[in-house]
Amino acid sequence: MKQKRILVIRPDRVGDVVLATPLLRELRKSFPDSFIAVMVRPHTKDILLNNPNIDEIIIDDFEGEHKGWRGFWKQVFKLRKYKFNIALHLLPTQRHAWMTFFAGIKTRVNVGIRLYSVLTFMKYVSRNNYIPLRHEADYSLDLGRKIGVKSSNIEPEIYLTHECIFE
């Protein structure tokens, strides 16, 4: 069986990235031999440092060095080099939908249906029955469940180094 090469995209705020950590852990448990990378903004990358459940942190600075069409294509070619076969879009954006489409990532899962997700042939997880009291981490796990994750463990995890604790 071909190795799963999974890209999790969470290009937003600190709290949302923290609440994506249960998905990362459960992906690793479900697919222990997979390659798992996360694409985040520069200001949230430190949350994922030392996380044993991921193999790579990819920065998407779409207000800085990856701005505009040139930056977009630079990221597309970078993603192609990783040979991802699954992309989980925890925050749906048109930029990332097209980016993963042009990078040739075969299985792409988005939250909800949008015109660009239809045009790029994405699978989706519906939030039509949105429950305000349901935990955001559980909504993130829904995308993992779409590719075979069975867990409901929504405990977030942040890994600190000895230096972080005693500075």
Side-chain angles (χ1 to χ4, degrees):
M1 188 170 123
K2 188 176 179 182
Q3 180 193 40
K4 288 190 186 313
R5 298 187 59 82
I6 303 167
L7 174 64
V8 176
I9 303 172
R10 190 75 221 208
D12 51 352
R13 297 173 295 266
V14 170
D16 296 308
V17 173
V18 170
L19 295 177
T21 61
L23 172 62
L24 300 172
R25 178 191 58 243
E26 300 309 320
L27 284 169
R28 178 61 70 205
K29 282 183 182 175
S30 298
F31 313 112
D33 297 326
S34 63
F35 178 86
I36 300 172
V38 182
M39 180 181 276
V40 294
R41 301 280 305 276
H43 64 275
T44 59
K45 72 174 175 23
D46 290 346
I47 295 165
L48 300 173
L49 292 177
N50 306 307
N51 188 319
N53 301 308
I54 59 175
D55 299 296
E56 188 82 32
I57 299 171
I58 301 170
I59 304 302
D60 190 26
D61 184 11
F62 49 87
E63 293 171 349
E65 73 173 288
H66 302 128
K67 187 175 185 177
W69 286 105
R70 179 171 283 157
F72 171 85
W73 287 107
K74 182 178 178 181
Q75 289 293 77
V76 167
F77 291 118
K78 182 177 187 174
L79 293 180
R80 279 187 183 180
K81 289 179 184 177
Y82 285 101
K83 297 181 175 18
F84 291 112
N85 47 31
I86 299 171
L88 303 178
H89 295 254
L90 300 185
L91 175 70
T93 69
Q94 182 169 222
R95 172 188 167 82
H96 293 107
W98 287 108
M99 190 181 289
T100 56
F101 175 78
F102 287 124
I105 302 172
K106 199 166 200 79
T107 301
R108 290 163 285 111
V109 184
N110 200 13
V111 177
I113 301 175
R114 290 165 174 73
L115 179 58
Y116 59 80
S117 60
V118 172
L119 294 173
T120 58
F121 309 104
M122 294 179 90
K123 296 178 181 181
Y124 69 93
V125 172
S126 176
R127 285 207 178 166
N128 286 344
N129 298 324
Y130 180 74
I131 303 165
L133 296 178
R134 188 172 180 220
H135 202 282
E136 179 64 27
D138 204 22
Y139 280 115
S140 292
L141 273 171
D142 282 346
L143 279 84
R145 291 180 187 114
K146 190 80 171 177
I147 63 165
V149 171
K150 303 284 188 231
S151 177
S152 295
N153 181 352
I154 59 170
E155 282 294 317
E157 299 175 325
I158 298 177
Y159 294 87
L160 302 176
T161 63
H162 184 70
E163 291 79 25
C164 290
I165 297 170
F166 294 104
E167 279 187 358

